[in-house]
């Protein structure tokens, strides 16, 4: 079996919030790690089923190297809890996270304060693991199937966007606005029949927002040299000529 994350000496053990069961994902995490391709300096995509089901991710981001670490149905604390295991042995150039949508569902959704606290915990965990790399947070999607929580979703997105604005290494990626109709309600056209998960057009919309955000980041080797401003974008352009 897959044991709980091993804790580095300088890494504080995580307190599991009431109502969370991160250990339920142990088998999924073990499988993810075992099947992971060898990729140098990847952009790691982490989060729930919308990441896991992104079959075209590699093609959509090429030639930016990516690893898909999505595990379906997971909540934001699950990403915090398993981050050490998922990043073990990797030198990510950036982390892209879509987590939190499964916290805002049902009759007892998590509130905005909890969501911001968990986002802060995720950033702190990433830094404690020694990864001083950009973190891109994909907006929680406003979905037709969970429309009753729309105001809360938009509030959480606003609060996390404000957090990201305070730190040059944190980037809020607003994929949500494009999924809304002119009247501000979720547009069913971006989703499959369950009205929760994205269809091919939905992923194309995500790509149109997420890919440029990644291309604008500094090259991995340039992250520590402020005099050089060459970005992924110039690298991508030269690689696709």
């Amino acid at each position: 079996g897959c044991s709980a994350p091993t804790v580095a000496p300088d890494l504080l053990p995580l307190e599991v919030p009431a109502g969370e069961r991160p250990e339920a994902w142990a088998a999924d995490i073990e499988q993810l790690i075992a099947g992971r391709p060898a990729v140098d300096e990847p952009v790691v995509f982490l989060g729930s089923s919308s990441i896991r089901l992104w079959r075209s991710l590699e093609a959509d981001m090429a030639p930016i190297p990516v690893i898909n670490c999505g595990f379906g149905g997971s909540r934001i604390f699950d990403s915090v809890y398993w981050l050490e295991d998922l990043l073990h042995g990797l030198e990510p150039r950036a982390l892209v996270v879509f987590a939190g949508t499964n916290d805002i569902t049902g009759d007892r959704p998590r509130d905005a304060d909890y969501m911001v606290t968990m986002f802060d915990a995720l950033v702190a965990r990433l830094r404690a693991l020694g990864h001083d790399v950009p973190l891109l947070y994909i907006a929680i999607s406003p979905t037709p199937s969970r429309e009753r929580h729309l105001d809360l979703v938009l509030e959480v997105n606003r609060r996390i966007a404000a957090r990201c604005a305070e730190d040059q290494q944190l980037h809020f990626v607003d994929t949500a606005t494009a999924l809304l109709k002119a009247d501000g309600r979720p547009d069913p056209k971006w989703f499959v029949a369950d009205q929760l998960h994205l269809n091919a057009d939905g992923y194309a919309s995500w790509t149109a927002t997420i890919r440029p955000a990644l291309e604008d980041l500094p090259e991995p080797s340039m992250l520590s040299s402020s005099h050089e401003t060459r970005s992924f974008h110039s690298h991508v352009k030269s690689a696709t000529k």
Side-chain angles (χ1 to χ4, degrees), residues 107-127:
D107 294 328
R108 298 178 62 191
R110 293 291 194 177
D111 63 21
D113 287 345
Y114 173 88
M115 298 301 293
V116 173
T117 298
M118 285 299 112
F119 174 76
D120 289 345
L122 182 65
V123 175
R125 193 72 172 171
L126 183 68
R127 301 290 177 250

Side-chain angles (χ1 to χ4, degrees), residues 105-230:
T105 184
D107 294 328
R108 298 178 62 191
R110 293 291 194 177
D111 63 21
D113 287 345
Y114 173 88
M115 298 301 293
V116 173
T117 298
M118 285 299 112
F119 174 76
D120 289 345
L122 182 65
V123 175
R125 193 72 172 171
L126 183 68
R127 301 290 177 250
L129 289 167
H131 298 294
D132 188 21
V133 297
L135 184 152
L136 286 73
Y137 185 85
I138 302 173
I140 295 175
S141 295
T143 64
S145 66
R146 295 175 179 172
E147 189 172 349
R148 66 173 166 146
H149 298 308
L150 179 61
D151 289 345
L152 177 55
V153 164
L154 297 178
E155 183 192 353
V156 170
N157 283 341
R158 280 193 298 271
R159 295 267 304 267
I160 292 180
R163 270 288 196 273
C164 292
E166 298 167 359
D167 186 328
Q168 287 189 322
Q169 287 280 59
L170 304 179
H171 306 267
F172 179 81
V173 185
D174 180 16
T175 46
T177 301
L179 303 179
L180 296 170
K181 295 187 289 189
D183 65 3
R185 297 178 61 197
D187 192 334
K189 76 177 184 181
W190 303 112
F191 300 90
V192 296
D194 67 7
Q195 292 294 286
L196 175 64
H197 296 101
L198 296 169
N199 60 23
D201 289 338
Y203 280 116
S205 176
W206 264 26
T207 299
T209 308
I210 297 167
R211 185 187 169 98
L214 281 174
E215 290 174 345
D216 285 342
L217 295 176
E219 283 266 21
S221 57
M222 309 301 179
L223 287 173
S224 58
S225 64
S226 55
H227 65 275
E228 177 59 84
T229 56
R230 185 165 176 251

